[in-house]
Amino acid sequence: MRVLIAGGGVAGTVTAMALQRAGHEPVVFEAHPSGGADAGAFLTVMHNGMDALKAIGADGPVNDVSFAALGVELVGPDGTTRGAREFDTGALAGPRTLTRAAFYRALQEEAGRRGITVEHGRRLVSAEPVSAETGASGVVATFADGSTATGDVLVGADGVRSEVRTLIDPAADRPRFTGLTVVYGYTRAGGLPAAPGIYRMIRGTRAAFGFTTAPDGATFWFARIPDTERPRDEIAAVTPAGWREFAHAAFDGDPLPCADIVAATGDDVFGGHSYDVPTTRVWSTGTMVLVGDAAHAASPAAGQGASMALEDSVVLALCLRDLPDAPAAFAAYERLRRTRVEKLVAASAGQDVGEERGWLYHHHIDWNGRITG
């Protein structure tokens, strides 16, 4: 089966590798000229995400460009430690922290080693079934440059503002602003508090902050700041200095290290609004299907966006491997995924996934298992 994949980020690239391993022929079409969007941020691939990568033998390249996250420490507005928790890995490998740019690069280089075609600068604008008059089946994708591609199915891995989502269902809900703007930064300044191997999560009086220390001494930090929604072009125009000032103001005056860490950061600071997609009524047609944020974007509170996308990628490939046709595979994929991901989106929107997180972290995918309809 020839599978067209719209989007060359985390979900699209891993879907391609999983589909190839399942015996299909994937081709990835990435809108950006090199890599995906949001490359300035960093993320943690949780236990379940690393397990999904391991299922297709792609965990090694990610391990090589990341560092371990062993747990979290919770700090209150007055600066006192309120609790600590080690990540319960169970039988799975523990979480890994890395920049989004490094994640994209590692995955795309691995896809290249496996002979998977990734075409950059190909922004999908429409798709329609192959004309019945030809006697063939499948889908024709059209791109912004006027070119087309034909395949048996199309996978929408094109993110929170998915074009494929609206092609599948023109009445699909638009992404919902979560009320938060998230700012990420990196600094190698000395004299800052260190948090090697853990995330120190701080609840300020006006916003939330988290940071960790990489093995080379760099401080990775993020701030989740309540905000009002602004136009996309206005957000895109904010400079690193503007994001630094915005984040600093959210913690200025608190008896916490947050403002000092922000002030010690140079131009390696990036920000943007946070959006989620609580539910997508229609996940697929006979020839198109959604994965990752295109189907179920979540607030970053649980740190599970990338990991859930990785799970999607592998489960979809298994369904297309084991079931007789695309409609049956898409139906099984949705049955296996919808409840889990919508639970995660709802929990993240409430900023709390609870203390018992086994349902998130200990999710194992057995590549040798069989999917039944």
Side-chain angles (χ1 to χ4, degrees):
M1 181 181 291
R2 178 176 167 83
V3 183
L4 312 180
I5 301 172
V10 171
T13 307
V14 175
T15 296
M17 288 191 279
L19 285 168
Q20 184 195 59
R21 184 164 187 176
H24 297 295
E25 178 192 351
V27 182
V28 179
F29 299 93
E30 166 57 46
H32 292 81
S34 60
D38 196 25
F42 66 92
L43 72 160
T44 300
V45 184
M46 299 303 291
H47 323 57
N48 48 306
M50 293 304 299
D51 178 73
L53 288 170
K54 186 175 181 180
I56 60 169
D59 54 325
V62 175
N63 278 322
D64 291 344
V65 295
S66 63
F67 58 93
L70 305 178
V72 296
E73 180 183 322
L74 307 177
V75 179
D78 59 356
T80 61
T81 298
R82 302 290 179 83
R85 182 179 71 249
E86 292 185 359
F87 290 130
D88 177 13
T89 62
L92 307 182
R96 307 290 298 184
T97 296
L98 72 169
T99 67
R100 191 173 291 273
F103 199 19
Y104 286 158
R105 186 164 55 251
L107 293 175
Q108 291 177 355
E109 288 177 356
E110 180 64 18
R113 282 191 288 271
R114 298 183 185 200
I116 293 170
T117 299
V118 179
E119 298 188 13
H120 293 278
R122 303 288 296 279
R123 182 179 296 278
L124 181 82
V125 294
S126 66
E128 57 187 18
V130 171
S131 173
E133 295 177 358
T134 66
S137 61
V139 62
V140 178
T142 301
F143 303 93
D145 61 4
S147 63
T148 63
T150 302
D152 294 293
V153 296
L154 170 67
V155 177
D158 48 345
V160 66
R161 299 186 183 278
S162 170
E163 184 66 32
V164 180
R165 187 195 304 126
T166 58
L167 292 173
I168 288 175
D169 178 14
D173 291 341
R174 296 175 60 84
R176 179 181 67 176
F177 178 51
T178 64
L180 296 172
T181 292
V182 184
V183 184
Y184 299 87
Y186 313 89
T187 179
R188 295 183 179 277
L192 298 175
I198 65 166
Y199 274 90
R200 187 162 289 136
M201 309 295 285
I202 303 171
R203 176 62 64 181
T205 57
R206 298 179 295 276
F209 190 89
F211 72 97
T212 188
T213 306
D216 66 358
T219 299
F220 285 42
W221 62 266
F222 67 88
R224 294 199 297 264
I225 304 168
D227 197 8
T228 56
E229 187 174 16
R230 289 168 273 163
R232 292 177 68 187
D233 57 352
E234 181 179 328
I235 289 293
V238 178
T239 64
W243 285 124
R244 188 171 56 247
E245 292 167 7
F246 177 73
H248 189 275
F251 301 98
D252 192 26
D254 283 352
L256 301 166
C258 314
D260 291 340
I261 293 172
V262 174
T265 303
D267 288 340
D268 289 329
V269 56
F270 315 85
H273 285 337
S274 170
Y275 292 85
D276 67 7
V277 179
T279 186
T280 297
R281 288 182 295 271
V282 186
W283 280 33
S284 66
T285 66
T287 56
M288 294 188 284
V289 67
L290 303 172
V291 295
D293 283 356
H296 49 76
S299 161
Q304 278 282 338
S307 295
M308 287 292 177
L310 297 171
E311 289 182 15
D312 282 358
S313 299
V314 178
V315 172
L316 176 62
L318 290 172
C319 291
L320 284 167
R321 181 194 69 183
D322 295 344
L323 296 173
D325 54 41
F330 295 165
Y333 160 72
E334 181 177 347
R335 173 175 56 82
L336 291 167
R337 298 298 300 155
R338 180 183 282 275
T339 299
R340 175 170 168 78
V341 298
E342 289 187 352
K343 180 180 179 180
L344 180 276
V345 174
S348 293
Q351 303 297 300
D352 183 12
V353 294
E355 288 300 314
E356 200 296 297
R357 303 188 181 200
W359 68 275
L360 274 175
Y361 298 159
H362 299 163
H363 186 80
H364 172 63
I365 300 174
D366 180 6
W367 182 263
N368 296 318
R370 304 296 296 181
I371 304 294
T372 57

